[in-house]
Amino acid sequence: MKKALVIIDMLNEFVYGKLGFEMAREIVPNIKRLLERSREKGVMVVFVCDSHRRGDPELEVWGEHAMEGTSGAEVVDSLRPLETEPRVKKRTYNGFFNTDLEDLLKVRGVGEVILTGILTDICILHTAAGAFFRGFKVLIPREAVASSDEESHQRALEYMERMYGAKISSLREVLDSI
């Protein structure tokens, strides 16, 4: 089954900016290893990124963040996308909602998505739901996702496993499967 590596919200705003947190910074090297292996093996890589506009409902909850066209909405330098790698702009927690992510994956024959990035309990969780409801298998390397607190992180991993059949694996197992 063809896989795609999906890197979610590894943006300046969330890693180093006003909404940045230590665990987000700690997973960067793990995601980089997955990114390098995927590129080496010809596995599709997609970056799914918050890119907000004034009036987006999410801004009422979180305030202004990752605003379209700002450096805060750009992928961190160490994970920078290649020109050939799609960057899907999202305006909600779910990477599939009102985006072309599903079409990009289906055109390439992808059946399984490897979800990485932040936050496990928000955008990873909602994107996993979107993937599941569209018939994609979900694989999550536990050392390549993070939340701002460990309890929310663990609860989200357990929920995705139970409700969406997500396979929660070690980074090593996922690297070996690519």
Side-chain angles (χ1 to χ4, degrees):
M1 177 180 310
K2 275 190 165 182
K3 294 178 167 87
L5 176 65
V6 181
I7 300 173
I8 301 171
D9 286 340
M10 292 304 290
L11 309 176
N12 291 322
E13 191 87 77
F14 300 134
V15 178
Y16 302 111
K18 70 180 179 181
L19 296 177
F21 59 102
E22 186 60 32
M23 289 302 295
R25 291 182 285 279
E26 288 178 8
I27 65 170
V28 170
N30 295 336
I31 295 173
K32 187 172 183 172
R33 288 177 65 197
L34 287 163
L35 178 60
E36 289 169 349
R37 174 71 56 89
S38 295
R39 287 173 175 166
E40 171 188 308
K41 298 291 187 177
V43 170
M44 181 181 193
V45 176
V46 181
F47 291 82
V48 175
C49 306
D50 259 12
S51 185
H52 291 293
R53 299 178 192 152
R54 302 230 180 276
D56 283 355
E58 202 177 294
L59 301 181
E60 293 177 25
V61 176
W62 297 98
E64 276 195 15
H65 66 281
M67 298 304 288
E68 188 173 52
T70 67
S71 63
E74 295 300 319
V75 175
V76 297
D77 286 341
S78 58
L79 301 174
R80 183 146 321 272
L82 301 176
E83 289 294 319
T84 57
E85 295 168 339
R87 184 175 182 266
V88 174
K89 294 180 180 183
K90 67 180 179 66
R91 296 173 62 196
T92 68
Y93 303 143
N94 182 338
F96 287 94
F97 184 76
N98 285 338
T99 73
D100 61 352
L101 180 58
E102 180 177 11
D103 292 337
L104 286 168
L105 296 171
K106 287 193 172 177
V107 163
R108 295 278 298 269
V110 171
E112 183 174 37
V113 290
I114 303 167
L115 300 183
T116 65
I118 54 177
L119 293 161
T120 313
D121 56 324
I122 303 176
C123 294
I124 303 295
L125 176 69
H126 289 281
T127 300
F132 172 75
F133 294 133
R134 286 164 178 84
F136 295 99
K137 299 281 185 201
V138 177
L139 175 59
I140 301 173
R142 70 175 62 84
E143 302 95 337
V145 292
S147 286
S148 53
D149 73 87
E150 187 62 26
E151 184 180 330
S152 296
H153 172 74
Q154 289 302 327
R155 191 171 49 244
L157 289 174
E158 290 165 9
Y159 185 87
M160 289 183 284
E161 186 173 45
R162 186 174 72 250
M163 300 307 293
Y164 308 134
K167 184 175 181 191
I168 313 301
S169 298
S170 71
L171 179 65
R172 172 56 37 214
E173 289 170 323
V174 176
L175 284 166
D176 288 346
S177 78
I178 293 177

